[in-house]
Amino acid sequence: MSPFQALYGHLPPHMVFPSVVTTFVAAVETYLKEREAMIDILKESLHKAQERMKLFADKTRKDKTFAVGDLVYLKLQPYRQASVSLRKNFKLSAKFYGRFPILQKIRPVAYKLQLPDQARIHHVFHVSQLKQHISKKHTPLLPCLLLIMQVN
């Protein structure tokens, strides 16, 4: 049962008219023509809005792919964070958690992670919730300073 039917006790009025309607009443004929024109304008503006939204969404979209065994960070909502790591203050908690290895690629946009044993959330996540872990190899500071001193 639809909410309209539950509220009013009858089915909602059927507003779709056949595309070819012949009538002898001039007012009805003009109403149908105006209505058809308005529907065409609405469809066109909706299509333009959808194209514009897609254009702006595609500008910021990045295709991410991960391999099995890669380390990734996991983005969690505040109510889910407690199930992965316990924090004293949720307001200042981290946006990304862990360096979790990828166990399996479920689909092109879904990955199964190896979470800690105490985690109480599902272990399959969408690619938008993952961030690649990049290992930075630190160069020792002392050789750099010696090199600068030798140049001067």
Side-chain angles (χ1 to χ4, degrees):
M1 179 182 293
S2 70
F4 185 93
Q5 188 176 359
L7 184 62
Y8 295 107
H10 59 86
L11 291 172
H14 186 65
M15 298 301 289
V16 178
F17 297 110
S19 60
V20 180
V21 175
T22 57
T23 180
F24 298 111
V25 181
V28 174
E29 187 71 30
T30 57
Y31 169 75
L32 290 175
K33 287 180 182 176
E34 288 175 1
R35 186 174 182 276
E36 189 67 31
M38 186 60 69
I39 288 174
D40 290 341
I41 291 170
L42 289 172
K43 284 181 182 178
E44 182 181 336
S45 63
L46 180 63
H47 183 67
K48 284 182 183 177
Q50 286 174 342
E51 285 179 349
R52 187 165 187 245
M53 289 169 57
K54 183 178 181 337
L55 175 80
F56 284 113
D58 287 345
K59 280 185 179 179
T60 59
R61 184 167 288 141
K62 298 176 190 173
D63 291 331
K64 295 181 186 178
T65 56
F66 302 107
V68 175
D70 285 353
L71 295 176
V72 293
Y73 293 106
L74 177 60
K75 182 179 181 181
L76 292 175
Q77 299 297 327
Y79 63 91
R80 298 272 186 173
Q81 293 172 358
S83 65
V84 175
S85 84
L86 199 54
R87 304 279 184 194
K88 289 183 180 179
N89 190 350
F90 287 111
K91 189 173 183 179
L92 301 175
S93 60
K95 190 173 188 179
F96 290 95
Y97 283 94
R99 283 187 316 230
F100 303 115
I102 293 179
L103 295 178
Q104 181 184 4
K105 181 177 182 177
I106 307 294
R107 294 208 171 122
V109 293
Y111 291 92
K112 181 178 180 180
L113 302 182
Q114 181 181 356
L115 296 176
D117 293 334
Q118 71 271 14
R120 297 178 313 227
I121 58 176
H122 199 267
H123 51 271
V124 176
F125 296 94
H126 191 266
V127 72
S128 64
Q129 303 301 315
L130 305 176
K131 181 178 178 182
Q132 180 77 39
H133 168 69
I134 301 171
S135 62
K136 297 180 182 177
K137 296 183 180 179
H138 298 289
T139 58
L141 187 59
L142 187 58
C144 293
L145 288 176
L146 291 176
L147 183 63
I148 293 171
M149 292 175 147
Q150 289 175 356
V151 172
N152 290 335

